[in-house]
Amino acid sequence: MQPTHPTQPDLYSTPPYKRSRRAYCMQAAFEYFIAILVSDAYLAKLLMYVGLDDWLIGIISSFISAAFLFQLTAVFLVRRIRNTKRTVVFFNILGCVLFVSLYLIPFLPVSGGVKTVLIILCLLFAYFGNYFVGSMLFKWANSFVDPAKRASYSAAKEMISLLSGMVFTLIVGVVIDRCESLGRLEAGFLFIAVAGLILAVCCLVCLLMIAKPHAEVSAAEPHPSHSMREVLSNTLGNKNFVHVIILMSLWSAAKYMTVGFLGTYKTGDLLLTVGTIQIINIAGNLCRFALSKLFGRYSDRTSFARGMELALCIAAAAFALNMFTTKSTWWCIILYTVLYDVSFAGTNQNSSNIVYSYVDETYFVEAMAIKNSISGVVGFASSLVGARILSVVQNAGNTVFGIPAAGQQVLSAISCVLTVVCVGYLHGVIAKQKVMKQ
């Protein structure tokens, strides 16, 4: 029987722990492939095919930020769940299947308006499935990782996803471009749907291979129960954690102010093909892959906060460069992509791991849900503001105060400023807080 609170170093070398870590790495990779299929140029291509305007495409592309709000349900229900593994598997796979269903909607014999509604509903329910159990999956799967090596493990997991994702991205990009050149884009959508279904099955197998959570190994060990007052006292009543929420909200606002509107900018304004865009994304992911391990070691050696601080400096530089991306300087989007992807080597996993530094592990799931929900709402609100700014600039003939500028350039400038504020807040406040070792 596994102990409730594993502390022995040798325990992490046992077969069940090794199998669970490997399975989580593979599950993360397969889920990443599905995420690729419903983001950036692929999703933009689907939404443009249905007939949506740029500003609405940007909002829909930013649904992921508002979807984090669904994690709030975990705050109220996590203590009532007796079988974490079964719950995570059901909702995670449900989300994957709904994502895949997006690419079957163009084949339905209904109007464009109905297709738009169906796409929105599919996205909302798919994100609900994923994010309702997102923090539960993270805590469950990471319980098989040595606490002293969390950042390094996260980096290795990310590297596997990135390396395999590059090949996957290139293949899908070539297929979509080929189908579009032959005037058979629907065939490309069908290819994505079939590929996504296979990936969903792979995700299911990997989740089933992860061992049960420690507290659920023995039925004699009751699931811990805390009142909502205790949960709030140890999360929102924790000043150090509140600073983390503020940071992640600022970063979410910076990201979603711009990122959701770049898909149509690449294909519509810069006239880049999906294949070209994916080659650029591969270049960015290669650089991220090369630096992920270094970011992980740096974060383990210093702190998750310091790792994020370095990454956000790189992100600020990325947005600054994107301010100069035009049709004649389209190559700037390459530099932006590389820097932005490299920054994710430090922000992606550290944004979750940083919760371990300032919140008692007993309240980890609730803390993650609260952090992601609040920052997600802020991010979605930011995308709405970004949509309004984009619309105003485009209606003004892509000029600002008489100066030629695309809406996405203006949004990048705002994102750059917000990211710089994040760096200052991290350096001056969060990085100076006392870190919990757990």
Side-chain angles (χ1 to χ4, degrees):
M1 180 184 299
Q2 293 169 302
T4 304
H5 301 288
T7 56
Q8 307 95 318
D10 291 340
L11 189 61
Y12 296 100
S13 299
T14 58
Y17 276 63
K18 288 183 177 180
R19 185 191 71 237
S20 297
R21 290 197 297 271
R22 287 194 294 266
Y24 184 36
C25 281
M26 295 308 299
Q27 186 274 337
F30 293 131
E31 192 171 45
Y32 174 61
F33 295 168
I34 294 176
I36 289 174
L37 296 178
V38 292
S39 63
D40 199 41
Y42 297 120
L43 182 60
K45 187 69 67 175
L46 173 66
L47 298 178
M48 290 172 69
Y49 181 83
V50 175
L52 274 63
D53 294 329
D54 283 6
W55 64 272
L56 186 54
I57 290 175
I59 291 176
I60 292 177
S61 298
S62 300
F63 267 170
I64 185 174
S65 59
F68 279 124
L69 185 61
F70 294 134
Q71 286 199 17
L72 276 182
T73 54
V75 175
F76 301 100
L77 299 178
V78 65
R79 303 291 167 180
R80 299 177 182 273
I81 294 173
R82 293 295 178 266
N83 193 318
T84 299
K85 182 172 182 175
R86 182 189 303 162
T87 304
V88 169
V89 170
F90 175 79
F91 283 99
N92 184 272
I93 299 305
L94 174 65
C96 290
V97 172
L98 286 173
F99 277 136
V100 173
S101 301
L102 284 172
Y103 289 93
L104 296 177
I105 292 177
F107 297 96
L108 298 178
V110 294
S111 66
V114 174
K115 290 179 181 178
T116 300
V117 172
L118 290 175
I119 287 174
I120 293 174
L121 289 176
C122 264
L123 280 171
L124 285 175
F125 283 108
Y127 280 129
F128 172 78
N130 275 4
Y131 289 108
F132 168 55
V133 296
S135 52
M136 297 181 215
L137 171 58
F138 186 86
K139 182 182 179 181
W140 163 39
N142 273 280
S143 66
F144 303 100
V145 181
D146 187 339
K149 300 177 181 178
R150 282 192 183 122
S152 295
Y153 172 77
S154 295
K157 175 164 63 74
E158 190 171 80
M159 290 168 72
I160 292 172
S161 296
L162 288 172
L163 190 60
S164 53
M166 292 173 203
V167 178
F168 177 79
T169 296
L170 184 60
I171 293 173
V172 177
V174 169
V175 170
I176 294 298
D177 279 346
R178 178 63 175 169
C179 289
E180 188 171 23
S181 66
L182 295 174
R184 300 182 60 191
L185 188 56
E186 298 91 343
F189 292 154
L190 185 60
F191 170 80
I192 291 178
V194 173
L197 182 60
I198 295 172
L199 292 171
V201 173
C202 292
C203 277
L204 174 62
V205 173
C206 291
L207 287 173
L208 293 176
M209 289 176 64
I210 302 176
K212 288 184 178 180
H214 307 298
E216 296 175 2
V217 171
S218 172
E221 298 171 3
H223 196 284
S225 179
H226 299 279
S227 67
M228 185 55 61
R229 175 177 292 183
E230 288 178 297
V231 170
L232 294 177
S233 175
N234 286 274
T235 52
L236 294 178
N238 178 341
K239 185 186 299 183
N240 289 348
F241 177 59
V242 170
H243 287 312
V244 172
I245 293 176
I246 294 173
L247 168 71
M248 296 314 302
S249 295
L250 285 170
W251 172 228
S252 188
K255 284 190 296 182
Y256 294 108
M257 176 65 68
T258 299
V259 175
F261 304 97
L262 291 181
T264 53
Y265 190 58
K266 294 172 185 176
T267 57
D269 295 74
L270 303 183
L271 301 179
L272 300 176
T273 65
V274 172
T276 300
I277 292 170
Q278 297 315 317
I279 290 174
I280 294 173
N281 288 340
I282 288 173
N285 284 333
L286 276 173
C287 295
R288 177 178 171 181
F289 174 85
L291 296 174
S292 284
K293 201 70 175 180
L294 292 177
F295 262 109
R297 290 172 181 169
Y298 177 74
S299 297
D300 278 333
R301 189 176 69 252
T302 55
S303 69
F304 300 131
R306 291 297 184 188
M308 278 203 70
E309 182 181 345
L310 176 59
L312 288 175
C313 287
I314 298 174
F319 286 122
L321 270 171
N322 207 39
M323 292 164 52
F324 301 99
T325 301
T326 63
K327 189 174 180 180
S328 60
T329 59
W330 65 270
W331 48 268
C332 284
I333 202 71
I334 300 176
L335 300 178
Y336 159 80
T337 301
V338 168
L339 289 175
Y340 186 71
D341 284 359
V342 166
S343 75
F344 259 61
T347 60
N348 197 35
Q349 298 298 334
N350 281 332
S351 63
S352 296
N353 285 326
I354 197 172
V355 177
Y356 284 113
S357 297
Y358 306 112
V359 178
D360 189 305
E361 192 171 1
T362 304
Y363 304 94
F364 181 87
V365 172
E366 292 92 339
M368 278 277 286
I370 291 171
K371 172 184 72 70
N372 290 341
S373 296
I374 294 175
S375 62
V377 170
V378 172
F380 186 64
S382 176
S383 72
L384 294 178
V385 174
R388 178 57 180 165
I389 294 173
L390 180 63
S391 179
V392 169
V393 173
Q394 288 180 336
N395 290 336
N398 286 324
T399 59
V400 178
F401 304 120
I403 302 174
Q408 285 83 351
Q409 290 177 283
V410 177
L411 297 180
S412 293
I414 298 173
S415 293
C416 180
V417 172
L418 289 173
T419 307
V420 170
V421 173
C422 287
V423 174
Y425 194 74
L426 247 174
H427 184 79
V429 179
I430 295 178
K432 295 181 179 180
Q433 295 178 165
K434 184 178 180 180
V435 175
M436 298 172 65
K437 298 294 184 181
Q438 54 181 345

